[in-house]
Amino acid sequence: MSLPTTGRVLITGPSNAGKTRLTARALIGWVEDHGADDVAILDFAPEVEHEGILLGGRLDRFVDVPEGAWVGVLDAHAPRAEGTTEKGAHELARENARGGMDLVESLPSSRAVFVNDATIPLQHEAGDVETLLAACENRELVVMNAFSGEELGTDDPISRREREARDRLIEWADTHEELH
């Protein structure tokens, strides 16, 4: 699959569909063509095993993060997999939102931004999709990926917030690639 080299790209799909791998390929392509000095990376992905399957995964599993790139990594939780109660899951989502928004606010000016697991900090009301989108404005290329599936739940507050954020990202993107 070939992704655009300019504009706003969103990649969605269920766990282990290849979202992070495709984002890593886009990052590699950009760095090969333009270098790493004007690249910013936000990596919000948790790495948690759930029912024998690794959920999430950071970009550095698939690519050596280039020297010269600005990198913001969230020590993220997988609230629906790790939370033992709804209240516990909500608190983990709040921690993700606060840490993720701090990273978004730290995002430097750059030509290209790559965001892995973009909806993780948006699963709680402390996370704001519009803040993320504003931070990505006026970039030559933005590549984001986001979870889209039912294996972690559909009707709980975290899933509803994530779905609303993903819908807004889809509306914002110039290109939406949905993996299955």
Side-chain angles (χ1 to χ4, degrees):
M1 177 181 299
S2 178
L3 295 176
T5 57
T6 61
R8 302 179 298 202
V9 179
L10 177 66
I11 305 160
T12 61
S15 293
N16 297 311
K19 300 178 300 294
T20 301
R21 187 179 310 267
L22 190 54
T23 303
R25 282 191 5 225
L27 172 61
I28 291 166
W30 177 271
V31 170
E32 286 174 354
D33 291 346
H34 304 281
D37 290 338
D38 217 8
V39 169
I41 299 167
L42 290 169
D43 203 333
F44 299 135
E47 291 191 330
V48 175
E49 193 169 305
H50 177 68
E51 298 178 1
I53 298 172
L54 181 65
L55 298 179
R58 296 203 176 112
L59 278 170
D60 62 10
R61 287 181 53 218
F62 302 106
V63 63
D64 290 330
V65 175
E67 273 191 50
W70 181 90
V71 181
V73 177
L74 179 64
D75 186 16
H77 304 283
R80 292 168 293 197
E82 292 179 64
T84 55
T85 65
E86 188 171 308
K87 183 178 180 181
H90 191 259
E91 182 56 37
L92 294 173
R94 179 182 14 227
E95 287 180 32
N96 286 344
R98 288 180 176 161
M101 290 296 100
D102 286 347
L103 289 172
V104 168
E105 290 173 7
S106 300
L107 192 67
S109 177
S110 60
R111 286 178 62 197
V113 176
F114 298 85
V115 184
N116 189 34
D117 225 339
T119 56
I120 287 291
L122 307 174
Q123 296 172 336
H124 184 277
E125 52 272 6
D128 179 39
V129 68
E130 297 305 325
T131 299
L132 174 61
L133 297 180
C136 293
E137 278 301 310
N138 303 315
R139 313 297 177 122
E140 190 172 328
L141 175 66
V142 178
V143 178
M144 293 188 189
N145 68 57
F147 173 75
S148 174
E150 297 181 359
E151 66 261 33
L152 299 174
T154 58
D155 199 34
D156 59 278
I158 291 170
S159 296
R160 285 192 300 272
R161 287 260 325 154
E162 183 171 48
R163 193 169 41 253
E164 289 167 5
R166 185 182 58 249
D167 289 348
R168 176 64 180 110
L169 294 176
I170 290 168
E171 176 184 292
W172 165 86
D174 299 320
T175 302
H176 175 212
E177 293 291 340
E178 189 170 1
L179 307 179
H180 301 280

